[in-house]
Amino acid sequence: MTIAISRTDTSHTGHFLHTFFYPESVAVVGATNNQDVFAFNLLSNLVNLKFPGKVYPVNPNAREVCGLQAYPDVTSIEGGIDLAVIAVAARRVPAVVRDCVAKKVKAVSIISGGFSETGEDGKRVQAEIRQMLKGNGIRAIGPNALSPINTANSFVISFNPVERFKKGGLSFIFQSGLYEPRLAWLFDTFGLRLSKLVDLGNKMDVTELDALDYLSRDPDTKVIAMHMESIAGDGRAFLQLLRETTHKKPVVVLKSGRTPAGARAASSHTGAIIRSSDAVYDVALRQAGAIRVANLEEFFDLAKAFEFQPPLKGNRIMLATLSGGEGVMASDAAYASGFVMARWTPASLAKLRTIFPGFEISVNPFDLGVSSQFHPFDRVYQTILETYLEDPDMDCLVLHLVTYFHLNEPDRLVKLGTEAVRRGKHIACWVVDVARENPQVIQQLEAGGVPIYTSAERAIRALGALWKWGKG
Amino acid sequence: MTIAISRTDTSHTGHFLHTFFYPESVAVVGATNNQDVFAFNLLSNLVNLKFPGKVYPVNPNAREVCGLQAYPDVTSIEGGIDLAVIAVAARRVPAVVRDCVAKKVKAVSIISGGFSETGEDGKRVQAEIRQMLKGNGIRAIGPNALSPINTANSFVISFNPVERFKKGGLSFIFQSGLYEPRLAWLFDTFGLRLSKLVDLGNKMDVTELDALDYLSRDPDTKVIAMHMESIAGDGRAFLQLLRETTHKKPVVVLKSGRTPAGARAASSHTGAIIRSSDAVYDVALRQAGAIRVANLEEFFDLAKAFEFQPPLKGNRIMLATLSGGEGVMASDAAYASGFVMARWTPASLAKLRTIFPGFEISVNPFDLGVSSQFHPFDRVYQTILETYLEDPDMDCLVLHLVTYFHLNEPDRLVKLGTEAVRRGKHIACWVVDVARENPQVIQQLEAGGVPIYTSAERAIRALGALWKWGKG
């Protein structure tokens, strides 16, 4: 395994992975007009999203694919090729790689599976491919990997139709295509704001070390979220790089294969061997300053939180829920995440009294439900937000949002939420069911920088990670 | 606090709470035509859902409400009243209760808040109301509670518009209206199949002991899911009853107010005092045979699991995910929940080979994604299900569902899932995003008894609870 960190050129443009994210010419080998197979979307996404580079479909049985002239093989293409994306059956990959060598392509991304993860035969073929590429100085991602995505130039290699995405500062490293079935959901419903994504698969050549090194340098990447099942090599170089990276930007890590059953499954699907116990990984990752998460849900939640908001400087939390019972559970969650319940100043309390139900109530957690039985919903939300904006004794607000009914002034709500973000006052909202909410309000709030989660616990856990990161 | 367990009549019809769930005549005090306030739905739900009993709106300022003749007060109603539902401002409640006493109503459900949860004045008024009712043998739920719901007779008291529900064997006890903002979601998207629901609020008279006693006897209730923040009295009678109940049916318990912050919040919203530490509750609940959950998400997941499926007799699990990486995480989750990875019989393996990608792959977890790059999605799913149906060495199957594309024979998928349930073979499915799936397939599968969750971890955790319950 070559560990290629150039200590002389530390720019991202000087890193070999830059070609993978910013290719000027791409050959898609295995491009097809058959809409019933996953591979169809490899080319159609590039066409639909108007990727500005040159794109060459390679398919010996088609004259054109998705309206672009097709070529029978890589060597038939006239122009030079920065990146060849290979998605053909495993047995055909060696021949395609030979063509890539002959064509002097700069880099290859091998999507096809069927190599080291399948046993001795597959391992042998993979080693041959690696040797062929290495001998000719061609770097390779995969095989058994769907890579890459770069929103800056709409370069999206995916098996799913991608119609839109939100650009942002979050970059992912995956060791598997597990994000694929949820790509549209992540972009649309969940609202992630993406910079780059790389799936490493069998890590024949490019490893998490390379990916982390590039993203660590990349100025567009503010937050790195990293899924891994194994570490290449003995891990020391990786942990050293991780430590350096976490001094610059947060790195959220989902290390799966924690249990004997999980480790066996990891070994069988990428061919990697899990050498260390989970406890060893746990200590090493934490010592390197990474934010380790327990599962995929927490992975995406924290990735979102760190991309949306700066670290929290204090731990005084304010909770507002639609029922007192939910306030109890939110208080439990806040306590568990290291928060203390914030106290309103006397001036704030005077403002809040205007939305009291006519009797004394708890003001943290605040029961929006009892208040809104006596005052218009809009006024209840506006009063909470306006008061929070002016209160100096609170570090964050978690607000239960109900946008689908009884809300006559949604614009004002959006404006107040956005204003909180502008002033650096942390806020996170949650809804019971995204699909039932007013999508415009949700989208406008997120566009204004207010992250929305699907439960109080999840919103609080995300803010809790920002607080742990903030206190260092 | 009166603990009213009749040891002579142990039928549910002989329990005083039966009148609350099956009233033949209901007065809704505070019924209104104003669609902008929550209280509007109290009456409109009964009208829209065609509750078969007599319904009397009480509103001094209206001649009719939702098309029904309105009465200025309870005493003006000609017929007898089984249940008076009271939803007026706190200061007006004592007068309404006096009317109820004069009218000799059998029972009252007080929705209004503003009593013991607000301080000394509120406590005093609540005590007066209690005395008035008790002296006249009238039982009361609340105040500060939204109750009850009984799907058997479409008797739905809710602040939310309820258009439909699925009838089933699940009954809830809540100590707060926290389910209210998610009622439509629970019924529609989440797919719960409900029998009864009672919210206890301040527990002035009716406590969790009464509710548990009734639901324990109720033949329509197969599973009880109970949210609580405090236990009335010293708890011994409750724990004794809980122990007896869990010998008859599963009881899932969400006890919140676990932390100092949560306990304080609980005390402020119902006026109850949390006396014992969470660890004491934990031991006591487990000793009584209850299934304790950590949060609301797990509460609803396990409630659903126990209502959908019988306990699991074995712990050999089969996992099928759309990516190998997800299979690793599912394997970790399965291990953590006490499962062992099931092994296919040689006969099963021979069948599975027909959907291999052309090379050897792991068969548990099974990678649906790699298989479906080489075979039609329908055939991959059908083969997995058909093989599972015939394999004697597997106790449960967790299947990652993708129903929104590449599925040409959804009926066959639904039929196979339903067939598994019919044969007592446990199966649970999960989808990334319910909103993006084919709603017909999802609904038909759930109608056939196949529960659908929103992540592998959640599906596995639910099955894990069925296994813990099954092994006793």
Side-chain angles (χ1 to χ4, degrees):
Chain A
M1 202 81 41
T2 323
I3 293 167
I5 302 180
S6 161
R7 294 290 175 188
T8 46
D9 182 352
T10 56
S11 73
H12 67 297
T13 52
H15 193 283
F16 78 88
L17 275 177
H18 201 65
T19 305
F20 286 83
F21 290 109
Y22 289 92
E24 289 179 10
S25 49
V26 179
V28 179
V29 188
T32 171
N33 287 307
N34 180 358
Q35 302 200 17
D36 281 346
V37 299
F38 284 127
F40 173 79
N41 296 303
L42 294 175
L43 194 72
S44 69
N45 281 328
L46 297 182
V47 171
N48 295 339
L49 293 170
K50 301 187 174 41
F51 165 65
K54 287 212 177 78
V55 179
Y56 304 102
V58 176
N59 181 333
N61 305 312
R63 298 192 58 175
E64 59 175 50
V65 181
C66 293
L68 297 175
Q69 186 198 331
Y71 296 80
D73 50 49
V74 172
T75 51
S76 317
I77 299 168
E78 317 77 55
I81 304 292
D82 281 351
L83 178 66
V85 175
I86 303 174
V88 296
R91 66 179 185 285
R92 291 187 46 220
V93 172
V96 173
V97 168
R98 263 191 295 275
D99 283 354
C100 288
V101 169
K103 180 67 186 169
K104 294 189 166 55
V105 306
K106 290 191 188 148
V108 301
S109 175
I110 307 176
I111 295 174
S112 320
F115 297 95
S116 65
E117 78 276 21
T118 64
E120 289 312 313
D121 282 358
K123 279 204 182 79
R124 192 181 36 77
V125 180
Q126 183 174 305
E128 284 165 18
I129 292 171
R130 176 165 175 266
Q131 203 46 49
M132 228 189 306
L133 291 165
K134 198 180 171 190
N136 290 279
I138 302 172
R139 304 305 301 255
I141 293 180
N144 194 20
L146 259 170
S147 286
I149 293 179
N150 181 8
T151 61
N153 56 353
S154 299
F155 186 50
V156 174
I157 296 297
S158 170
F159 277 161
N160 275 284
V162 174
E163 286 160 19
R164 68 190 78 88
F165 45 75
K166 296 183 184 77
K167 293 185 189 186
L170 174 62
S171 290
F172 281 108
I173 302 170
F174 283 101
Q175 195 174 342
S176 142
L178 64 91
Y179 60 91
E180 266 285 313
R182 41 177 71 77
L183 203 56
W185 172 79
L186 284 172
F187 284 144
D188 284 353
T189 316
F190 196 70
L192 285 188
R193 306 188 299 200
L194 191 72
S195 176
K196 299 176 181 65
L197 184 154
V198 58
D199 170 16
L200 299 172
N202 292 4
K203 304 195 290 191
M204 171 186 80
D205 172 22
V206 173
T207 69
E208 62 280 358
L209 196 52
D210 304 309
L212 187 62
D213 186 33
Y214 177 78
L215 295 175
S216 173
R217 305 178 187 194
D218 177 30
D220 289 344
T221 297
K222 282 165 40 187
V223 182
I224 299 168
M226 183 165 192
H227 157 255
M228 55 197 289
E229 294 168 357
S230 62
I231 298 182
D234 69 2
R236 269 173 293 188
F238 171 75
L239 290 168
Q240 172 62 26
L241 176 62
L242 183 59
R243 200 171 296 116
E244 287 168 27
T245 306
T246 60
H247 280 118
K248 292 191 280 180
K249 41 189 106 176
V251 183
V252 178
V253 176
L254 173 63
K255 161 74 180 68
S256 58
R258 310 174 74 121
T259 65
R264 268 194 305 277
S267 168
S268 78
H269 95 102
T270 62
I273 293 157
I274 316 294
R275 275 177 299 262
S276 302
S277 81
D278 190 65
V280 171
Y281 276 110
D282 209 55
V283 171
L285 290 170
R286 284 180 209 283
Q287 281 181 349
I291 301 139
R292 189 176 184 188
V293 297
N295 55 38
L296 205 54
E297 179 192 279
E298 192 181 3
F299 184 61
F300 290 126
D301 279 354
L302 266 53
K304 179 171 180 170
F306 279 97
E307 202 278 332
F308 265 75
Q309 293 174 316
L312 255 174
K313 295 280 163 57
N315 67 337
R316 297 165 301 178
I317 199 168
M318 167 62 207
L319 306 169
T321 59
L322 206 65
S323 84
E326 197 115 32
V328 174
M329 288 188 278
S331 301
D332 279 342
Y335 185 91
S337 283
F339 287 105
V340 297
M341 301 297 279
R343 290 164 178 274
W344 298 97
T345 64
S348 294
L349 277 177
K351 288 182 219 163
L352 287 180
R353 283 191 175 279
T354 62
I355 52 167
F356 269 26
F359 47 83
E360 289 296 308
I361 57 171
S362 151
V363 287
N364 189 13
F366 191 92
D367 186 337
L368 302 162
V370 68
S371 185
S372 61
Q373 283 170 47
F374 300 86
H375 305 281
F377 236 56
D378 295 284
R379 221 179 94 210
V380 171
Y381 273 128
Q382 287 166 23
T383 306
I384 291 280
L385 282 164
E386 281 163 359
T387 313
Y388 172 66
L389 272 174
E390 301 299 335
D391 194 303
D393 291 351
M394 312 213 147
D395 297 307
C396 56
L397 166 67
V398 180
L399 186 62
H400 182 173
L401 267 193
V402 181
T403 62
Y404 63 94
F405 79 147
H406 291 315
L407 204 61
N408 300 310
E409 298 166 30
D411 292 351
R412 182 91 190 117
L413 177 66
V414 170
K415 205 175 155 190
L416 285 166
T418 307
E419 177 63 16
V421 172
R422 206 187 59 73
R423 294 199 199 174
K425 302 270 290 182
H426 279 73
I427 178 171
C429 294
W430 64 277
V431 298
V432 164
D433 181 10
V434 175
R436 205 172 295 276
E437 296 296 327
N438 179 326
Q440 260 197 315
V441 178
I442 300 292
Q443 278 163 26
Q444 285 172 0
L445 275 169
E446 291 216 318
V450 179
I452 294 178
Y453 301 90
T454 55
S455 77
E457 276 93 355
R458 291 175 68 169
I460 291 164
R461 179 177 60 185
L463 285 169
L466 292 180
W467 158 237
K468 282 192 200 90
W469 186 258
K471 74 178 173 179
Chain B
M1 203 78 42
T2 324
I3 295 166
I5 304 179
S6 161
R7 294 291 174 186
T8 47
D9 182 352
T10 56
S11 73
H12 66 299
T13 53
H15 194 283
F16 78 89
L17 275 177
H18 201 65
T19 305
F20 285 83
F21 290 110
Y22 290 91
E24 290 180 7
S25 48
V26 180
V28 179
V29 188
T32 172
N33 287 308
N34 180 357
Q35 302 199 20
D36 281 345
V37 299
F38 284 127
F40 173 79
N41 296 302
L42 295 175
L43 195 71
S44 68
N45 280 328
L46 297 183
V47 171
N48 295 339
L49 294 169
K50 300 188 175 41
F51 166 65
K54 288 212 177 77
V55 179
Y56 304 102
V58 176
N59 181 333
N61 305 313
R63 299 189 59 175
E64 59 175 49
V65 181
C66 292
L68 297 176
Q69 186 197 332
Y71 297 81
D73 50 49
V74 172
T75 53
S76 316
I77 299 167
E78 316 80 53
I81 303 292
D82 281 352
L83 178 65
V85 175
I86 303 174
V88 296
R91 65 179 186 286
R92 291 185 47 219
V93 172
V96 173
V97 168
R98 264 191 295 278
D99 284 354
C100 288
V101 170
K103 179 67 186 172
K104 294 188 166 52
V105 307
K106 289 191 189 149
V108 302
S109 176
I110 307 177
I111 295 173
S112 319
F115 297 97
S116 67
E117 79 275 21
T118 64
E120 288 312 314
D121 282 358
K123 280 205 181 79
R124 191 179 39 75
V125 179
Q126 183 172 307
E128 283 165 19
I129 292 170
R130 177 167 176 263
Q131 203 47 48
M132 231 190 304
L133 291 164
K134 198 183 172 190
N136 290 279
I138 302 172
R139 304 304 303 255
I141 293 179
N144 194 19
L146 260 170
S147 286
I149 293 178
N150 182 8
T151 60
N153 56 353
S154 298
F155 185 49
V156 174
I157 296 297
S158 170
F159 277 160
N160 274 283
V162 174
E163 284 161 21
R164 67 189 81 86
F165 45 75
K166 296 184 184 77
K167 293 186 190 187
L170 174 61
S171 290
F172 281 109
I173 302 170
F174 282 101
Q175 194 174 341
S176 142
L178 64 91
Y179 60 92
E180 267 285 312
R182 41 177 72 76
L183 204 56
W185 172 78
L186 285 171
F187 285 143
D188 285 353
T189 316
F190 196 70
L192 285 188
R193 306 187 299 200
L194 191 72
S195 176
K196 298 176 182 65
L197 183 153
V198 58
D199 170 16
L200 299 170
N202 291 4
K203 303 195 290 190
M204 171 186 79
D205 172 22
V206 174
T207 69
E208 63 279 0
L209 198 51
D210 305 309
L212 187 61
D213 187 32
Y214 177 77
L215 295 175
S216 172
R217 304 177 186 194
D218 177 31
D220 290 343
T221 297
K222 282 165 40 187
V223 183
I224 300 169
M226 183 165 191
H227 157 254
M228 55 198 288
E229 293 168 357
S230 62
I231 298 182
D234 69 0
R236 270 173 292 188
F238 170 75
L239 290 168
Q240 172 61 27
L241 175 62
L242 184 59
R243 200 172 295 117
E244 288 168 29
T245 305
T246 59
H247 280 117
K248 292 192 280 181
K249 43 188 103 175
V251 183
V252 178
V253 176
L254 173 63
K255 161 73 180 69
S256 58
R258 307 173 77 121
T259 65
R264 268 195 304 279
S267 168
S268 77
H269 96 102
T270 64
I273 293 155
I274 316 294
R275 275 177 300 262
S276 302
S277 81
D278 190 67
V280 170
Y281 275 110
D282 208 56
V283 170
L285 290 170
R286 284 180 209 281
Q287 281 181 350
I291 302 139
R292 189 175 185 188
V293 296
N295 55 37
L296 206 53
E297 178 191 280
E298 191 181 4
F299 184 61
F300 290 125
D301 280 353
L302 265 53
K304 179 171 179 169
F306 280 96
E307 203 278 333
F308 265 74
Q309 293 175 316
L312 256 173
K313 295 282 163 55
N315 67 337
R316 297 165 302 178
I317 199 168
M318 167 62 207
L319 306 170
T321 60
L322 206 65
S323 83
E326 196 114 34
V328 175
M329 288 188 276
S331 301
D332 279 341
Y335 185 90
S337 283
F339 286 105
V340 298
M341 301 297 278
R343 289 165 178 273
W344 298 98
T345 63
S348 294
L349 277 176
K351 287 183 220 163
L352 286 181
R353 284 192 174 279
T354 62
I355 51 167
F356 269 26
F359 47 84
E360 289 296 307
I361 56 171
S362 151
V363 286
N364 189 13
F366 191 93
D367 186 337
L368 301 164
V370 68
S371 185
S372 61
Q373 285 170 47
F374 300 86
H375 304 281
F377 235 55
D378 294 284
R379 219 178 97 209
V380 171
Y381 273 129
Q382 287 167 23
T383 306
I384 290 280
L385 282 164
E386 280 163 0
T387 313
Y388 172 67
L389 272 174
E390 301 298 335
D391 194 302
D393 292 350
M394 312 215 148
D395 298 307
C396 56
L397 166 67
V398 180
L399 186 62
H400 183 173
L401 267 193
V402 180
T403 63
Y404 61 94
F405 80 147
H406 290 318
L407 204 61
N408 299 311
E409 298 167 30
D411 292 352
R412 182 89 191 119
L413 176 66
V414 170
K415 204 175 156 192
L416 285 166
T418 307
E419 177 64 15
V421 173
R422 206 187 59 73
R423 294 198 198 175
K425 302 271 289 182
H426 280 72
I427 178 170
C429 295
W430 65 277
V431 298
V432 164
D433 181 9
V434 176
R436 205 172 296 275
E437 296 297 327
N438 178 328
Q440 261 198 313
V441 177
I442 300 292
Q443 278 162 27
Q444 285 172 0
L445 275 169
E446 291 217 318
V450 180
I452 293 176
Y453 300 90
T454 54
S455 77
E457 275 94 354
R458 292 175 68 170
I460 291 164
R461 179 177 60 184
L463 285 169
L466 292 180
W467 158 237
K468 281 191 201 88
W469 186 257
K471 73 179 174 178

